[in-house]
Amino acid sequence: MHRTPRPRLRGPAAALAAVALLGGVLTTGATAQAAPRTDGRLTDLVNPFIGTQNEGNTYPGASVPFGMVQLSPDTGHNTGYDYGENHIRGFSSVHLSGVGCGLGGDLPTLPTTGDVTETDYAKYAAEFSHDDEKASPGYYKVGLRTGIEAELTATQRTGVQRYTFPATEKANVLLNAGQSLHRTLSSKVEILDDHTVRTAITGSGFCQDTKPYTVYTVTHFDRPFTTSGTWNGDTVTEGSKRSSATDARNGAWLRFDTTKDRTVEATTSLSYVDAKGAALNLRAEGGRSFDRVERAAQRSWEDRLEGVKAQGGSDELRRTFYSSLYRSFLAPNVGSDVDGRYTGWDQKKHRAKNFTYYQNWSLWDTYRTQAQLLSLLAPRESRDMAISVLRIDAESGWLPKWGYGTVETNIMTGDPVTPFLTNAYQQGLLKGYEEEAFRALKKNADGVPATDSAPVGREANVEYLKDGYAPYIKDRPHAKPGDSDYDHGASATLEYALSDGMLAEMARDLGHDADAARYDARAQNYRKIFDPSTGFFRARDASGAFTGPVDPAQSEGFHEGTSWQYQWMVPQDIPGMVGLIGGKDAANQRLDSFFAYDKLLADPAKTAREVWVNGPYAYYNADKYNPQNEPDLIAPYTYLSTGQPWKTTDVVHAALTLFTNGPTGMTGNDDLGTMSAWMVLSSIGVFPVQPGTDTWGLSTPAFERVDIELDRRYYPHGSLTVSAPGASDTDRYIQSARLDGAQQSRTYLTTDDIRSGRSLSFTVGSEPSAWGTSPEDAPPALG
């Protein structure tokens, strides 16, 4: 129900001035749809419910681009929201889009009525129906079966809630500090006055226990509560102002009289630094009505989406495209407060000067797609993200692998930070930081973190540098929490070699010729795990013997994949890999088998859904393409290097059918925008085929025209138009291509081409052509 906006905070300046003084640190069913709009905005096309079922692990709640706060409902799923559930435990402030393990969910807040008797959010959870649920970028609304309507919106560092209660003298808001999506080690709550509650929450965990981190919050209500209290364990105490707990339930409840005024608004600010930071964030970003905040959030999303204007394509394609573009801007997340302070990985307070500090680094995923998309569409933020990663090295002594908040989790394997940073360098985002970045990357590539430090880095680097491969050592004890490269020696070898190839390019550009030659040689280490007897990559043990199953469809030694799937992950030297297989003819036969190409031509969507896809976590024991996980994301573009580029378009367009406008419309975990960015880039027809370099492979766009707005500080022309007039399901084959009117026979562009160009145009037809089939048209090997 729409309301006429009206002032909510009584005397906001005075109230928030008081909050600013809080500098003292605490002592330690139906288908839900996007909210309907009528003015033709691009945000109208976004469906935040895509990926909320079948382990896409997205969230439908409110945030702004790259915001610190993601205010969203939690229904009991380990990552937050599952569309198949019908009870909401609370609206919590921290979520990451598409993670595979429980993470975040701090401070779940729920409106209730009546006496407060339960303290476990699994017991006091409120039932709801998807019929009463709507969402759009920056906004979420749900009607609870208790008769309460809840609405959510956000600023960069605050979440704003509006509750409409029935007429009652016992309208409550529960702030649960002791339960979250991961393990809550300790929590403290303080009711400061009749408007304000402060908390400190220390948590740990992401797939495994990690070093703890603390998030501080201040929640300010727009009206005084009539009474309040806390709970600790099972005990509810009215009138209590403080409560602390260790590994136990803990929270505060606030009561309002809604017999006359039925609405209550609350603004919660976050800080990863201290209580003062949360208060400063509230003073800077709070004090506005819910409606004003919601309009500002919507404008911020509209501005982002307007950077890419697509024409043509079906309604379904446009909705999935803009929903994917939306999810691509959800992370990484601002980590610094409004005063620039942030908590570094050394757990000390620092201040960001001339940049915004970001956190949350799912690098094993994002280095393949999302980092490149952001370098095009958000280069200023991408620059700050890269600088933030360098600050992690400077302050903690090592570059990250999978970072959450202020800590390293060591989840996933290989060396993903190298292509992430070399991509930033190649896209021109590290001006003034080139040598600092190279020194950090060189240290990372040539060493191993100390045993008393949290990161594992290139854990198997001693053996890799000595023998040229990371050994697979089954059941080796883990020295540190997280994943171990020794458990996945074959794929770790491929990841190390990929990173070495990308680092060699950077070293060569910077004039470090000896390092470049050394890394070039190491980029060929993928050959060390090629078993000529099987014709596939295979794990080797510490003695050098090939080990594990002979069948390349088995997974032993490979992380979330098989040798069939990892064989194409040699972007630094596709010609060399093709040579190992037996040449282009043999490679194309193997690719055709891998993609079930004959079946794909007969029925692309059915092949994608029934042959390729076997379940969201079916990573193992398969000889077919898995579009739901990262090791295969680059595989469709291998045809660009084997003289059959039209097959790349066939495979990519079939995979695009897996993105649909519904809760199950995500291919696997979104992994902080990785899958979404794959969809966006592949739909545009420009894809990073050598992640960590400046090479972009080409395929037929899914739209007839896409106008991309580019930042003139990095791209002087300020725009690029990609067009394919008449492109359709039948007319999808490139007959010719032109870059600013000049013939473009190559199947790739460089970043310099994008900087200097204004238009990339394709002529398409119903049959494959000779375009891009000459050996010199293929993306070159590095080195």
Side-chain angles (χ1 to χ4, degrees):
M1 177 172 62
H2 179 73
R3 294 176 186 78
T4 302
R6 60 188 179 89
R8 298 302 309 153
L9 285 175
R10 282 88 169 173
L16 291 178
V19 172
L21 299 176
L22 307 179
V25 179
L26 283 170
T27 52
T28 295
T31 301
Q33 299 180 0
R37 305 285 190 181
T38 58
D39 55 2
R41 298 176 302 202
L42 292 176
T43 47
D44 301 352
L45 301 176
V46 174
N47 183 357
F49 291 102
I50 292 175
T52 58
Q53 194 170 15
N54 200 23
E55 303 301 335
N57 294 346
T58 58
Y59 60 85
S63 65
V64 296
F66 311 122
M68 180 185 291
V69 172
Q70 310 85 32
L71 186 57
S72 191
D74 295 328
T75 63
H77 190 272
N78 70 319
T79 64
Y81 183 94
D82 186 326
Y83 194 83
E85 303 288 340
N86 66 350
H87 283 75
I88 291 174
R89 298 181 174 187
F91 305 103
S92 62
S93 298
V94 179
H95 297 84
L96 294 185
S97 182
V99 293
C101 297
L103 193 61
D106 300 288
L107 197 66
T109 303
L110 192 71
T112 68
T113 58
D115 293 327
V116 177
T117 58
E118 294 287 354
T119 64
D120 183 349
Y121 64 5
K123 294 181 179 179
Y124 65 66
E127 187 178 0
F128 74 105
S129 167
H130 296 304
D131 289 332
D132 300 319
E133 189 181 35
K134 293 179 180 179
S136 62
Y139 177 77
Y140 173 88
K141 180 173 74 172
V142 65
L144 304 175
R145 290 289 171 86
T146 54
I148 304 168
E149 180 184 88
E151 297 172 273
L152 316 177
T153 189
T155 70
Q156 195 167 78
R157 298 175 180 86
T158 75
V160 184
Q161 307 185 40
R162 177 164 62 192
Y163 303 125
T164 303
F165 288 92
T168 176
E169 294 181 349
K170 292 184 177 181
N172 312 307
V173 178
L174 311 184
L175 300 181
N176 190 334
Q179 292 179 291
S180 62
L181 298 175
H182 52 80
R183 183 183 176 191
T184 301
L185 300 176
S186 64
S187 62
K188 299 179 181 181
V189 298
E190 282 186 286
I191 299 174
L192 299 175
D193 54 41
D194 62 359
H195 284 76
T196 314
V197 181
R198 182 167 65 184
T199 76
I201 301 168
T202 299
S204 173
F206 174 47
C207 301
Q208 302 180 42
D209 281 341
T210 60
K211 289 181 63 176
Y213 73 94
T214 300
V215 61
Y216 302 87
T217 80
V218 177
T219 300
H220 185 79
F221 291 87
D222 70 329
R223 53 189 287 193
F225 23 91
T226 58
T227 187
S228 62
T230 64
W231 71 82
N232 195 305
D234 293 322
T235 303
V236 179
T237 306
E238 184 171 355
S240 170
K241 301 297 184 183
R242 293 174 177 81
S243 181
S244 300
T246 300
D247 207 12
R249 297 194 300 277
N250 189 37
W253 57 274
L254 308 315
R255 177 161 294 163
F256 302 86
D257 183 343
T258 59
T259 54
K260 294 181 180 180
D261 185 353
R262 294 175 54 200
T263 62
V264 175
E265 292 186 13
T267 301
T268 298
S269 63
L270 264 61
S271 171
Y272 288 83
V273 180
D274 53 26
K276 175 184 175 182
L280 290 172
N281 293 342
L282 182 64
R283 182 172 65 176
E285 299 184 15
R288 293 178 292 167
S289 71
F290 182 96
D291 293 307
R292 286 186 61 195
V293 174
E294 190 276 327
R295 287 194 297 269
Q298 188 276 328
R299 284 196 303 271
S300 71
W301 280 113
E302 192 69 22
D303 289 344
R304 287 290 176 182
L305 299 181
E306 282 183 343
V308 183
K309 294 183 178 178
Q311 300 177 26
S314 66
D315 182 69
E316 177 90 352
L317 176 63
R318 288 175 58 77
R319 290 184 180 279
T320 55
F321 177 81
Y322 280 104
S323 297
S324 295
L325 185 59
Y326 158 76
R327 288 189 299 272
S328 299
F329 290 123
L330 290 173
N333 305 103
V334 170
S336 51
D337 293 336
V338 292
D339 62 355
R341 294 184 308 147
Y342 65 90
T343 297
W345 283 27
D346 56 1
Q347 305 308 307
K348 298 178 181 178
K349 298 174 186 179
H350 302 273
R351 191 180 299 272
K353 296 180 180 179
N354 301 317
F355 77 103
T356 297
Y357 182 80
Y358 287 86
Q359 58 193 25
N360 300 333
W361 304 105
S362 181
L363 294 173
W364 189 81
D365 310 290
T366 58
Y367 88 77
R368 308 165 199 261
T369 59
Q370 194 239 14
Q372 291 83 355
L373 181 63
L374 295 186
S375 73
L376 284 177
L377 303 182
R380 282 177 291 175
E381 292 85 353
S382 294
R383 169 191 176 272
D384 287 0
M385 292 169 188
I387 294 172
S388 299
V389 167
L390 294 180
R391 297 314 302 159
I392 290 173
D393 174 76
E395 291 155 7
S396 72
W398 214 262
L399 289 167
K401 178 170 283 190
W402 208 121
Y404 176 61
T406 63
V407 300
E408 174 66 82
T409 72
N410 291 321
I411 293 300
M412 307 313 297
T413 48
D415 177 19
V417 71
T418 292
F420 172 83
L421 281 175
T422 61
N423 170 73
Y425 165 75
Q426 296 289 356
Q427 309 308 330
L429 306 179
L430 284 178
K431 292 188 183 302
Y433 293 87
E434 297 94 336
E435 291 296 337
E436 178 184 347
F438 182 74
R439 287 193 299 271
L441 288 169
K442 181 177 178 180
K443 177 178 63 176
N444 177 76
D446 294 344
V448 180
T451 55
D452 60 351
S453 65
V456 296
R458 288 196 185 194
E459 185 183 15
N461 222 16
V462 171
E463 297 88 343
Y464 176 79
L465 297 181
K466 174 177 175 289
D467 302 319
Y469 67 91
Y472 167 52
I473 304 176
K474 192 173 184 178
D475 299 325
R476 182 181 183 272
H478 287 206
K480 301 177 183 180
D483 291 311
S484 171
D485 289 345
Y486 291 106
D487 288 343
H488 312 282
S491 57
T493 299
L494 296 174
E495 298 270 11
Y496 290 4
L498 180 156
S499 295
D500 284 335
M502 306 311 161
L503 187 53
E505 291 292 294
M506 182 178 181
R508 191 165 17 255
D509 287 350
L510 294 176
H512 300 294
D513 294 338
D515 288 324
R518 191 161 51 88
Y519 294 133
D520 273 333
R522 280 164 43 176
Q524 294 293 308
N525 280 342
Y526 72 90
R527 298 173 180 270
K528 300 287 182 67
I529 62 166
F530 185 78
D531 184 352
S533 69
T534 65
F536 285 86
F537 296 129
R538 199 170 166 208
R540 296 176 68 175
D541 63 21
S543 72
F546 287 109
T547 185
V550 174
D551 181 0
Q554 300 299 306
S555 308
E556 196 165 359
F558 294 87
H559 202 175
E560 295 189 359
T562 69
S563 185
W564 264 102
Q565 293 158 347
Y566 269 96
Q567 69 185 308
W568 316 112
M569 208 187 76
V570 191
Q572 73 274 21
D573 187 18
I574 291 293
M577 183 271 293
V578 167
L580 288 179
I581 290 175
K584 289 184 179 179
D585 289 343
N588 281 323
Q589 290 177 22
R590 192 174 287 188
L591 284 164
D592 289 350
S593 173
F594 182 62
F595 292 113
Y597 187 72
D598 290 342
K599 292 181 178 179
L600 180 151
L601 284 182
D603 194 331
K606 182 178 181 180
T607 302
R609 206 159 286 281
E610 297 183 8
V611 178
W612 295 348
V613 172
N614 297 292
Y617 293 112
Y619 303 145
Y620 304 103
N621 305 330
D623 64 353
K624 292 294 183 285
Y625 173 51
N626 180 5
Q628 299 194 115
N629 204 34
E630 280 70 20
D632 277 5
L633 292 183
I634 201 172
Y637 294 88
T638 309
Y639 283 119
L640 301 183
S641 297
T642 62
Q644 296 184 338
W646 67 89
K647 291 183 178 180
T648 288
T649 291
D650 287 333
V651 173
V652 166
H653 283 219
L656 288 174
T657 67
L658 296 170
F659 293 84
T660 60
N661 185 34
T664 61
M666 170 61 62
T667 59
N669 299 157
D670 195 32
D671 290 320
L672 276 72
T674 299
M675 295 300 178
S676 293
W678 186 95
M679 193 276 176
V680 171
L681 290 163
S682 293
S683 296
I684 293 172
V686 179
F687 189 86
V689 292
Q690 291 174 329
T693 72
D694 63 347
T695 304
W696 304 81
L698 303 178
S699 63
T700 304
F703 297 99
E704 291 192 83
R705 175 171 173 148
V706 181
D707 293 292
I708 306 171
E709 181 180 329
L710 301 172
D711 190 321
R712 290 184 182 275
R713 282 172 290 187
Y714 299 90
Y715 303 94
H717 291 311
S719 66
L720 176 69
T721 296
V722 181
S723 60
S728 66
D729 289 342
T730 55
D731 291 353
R732 64 176 183 266
Y733 297 111
I734 297 173
Q735 308 297 303
S736 63
R738 292 179 179 272
L739 182 64
D740 285 344
Q743 288 285 350
Q744 166 76 20
S745 63
R746 298 181 311 177
T747 60
Y748 67 97
L749 298 178
T750 66
T751 297
D752 282 343
D753 292 330
I754 295 175
R755 286 198 184 101
S756 62
R758 296 177 184 270
S759 68
L760 172 65
S761 58
F762 297 98
T763 301
V764 296
S766 60
E767 297 292 336
S769 73
W771 176 83
T773 56
S774 298
E776 60 269 21
D777 295 334
L782 304 182

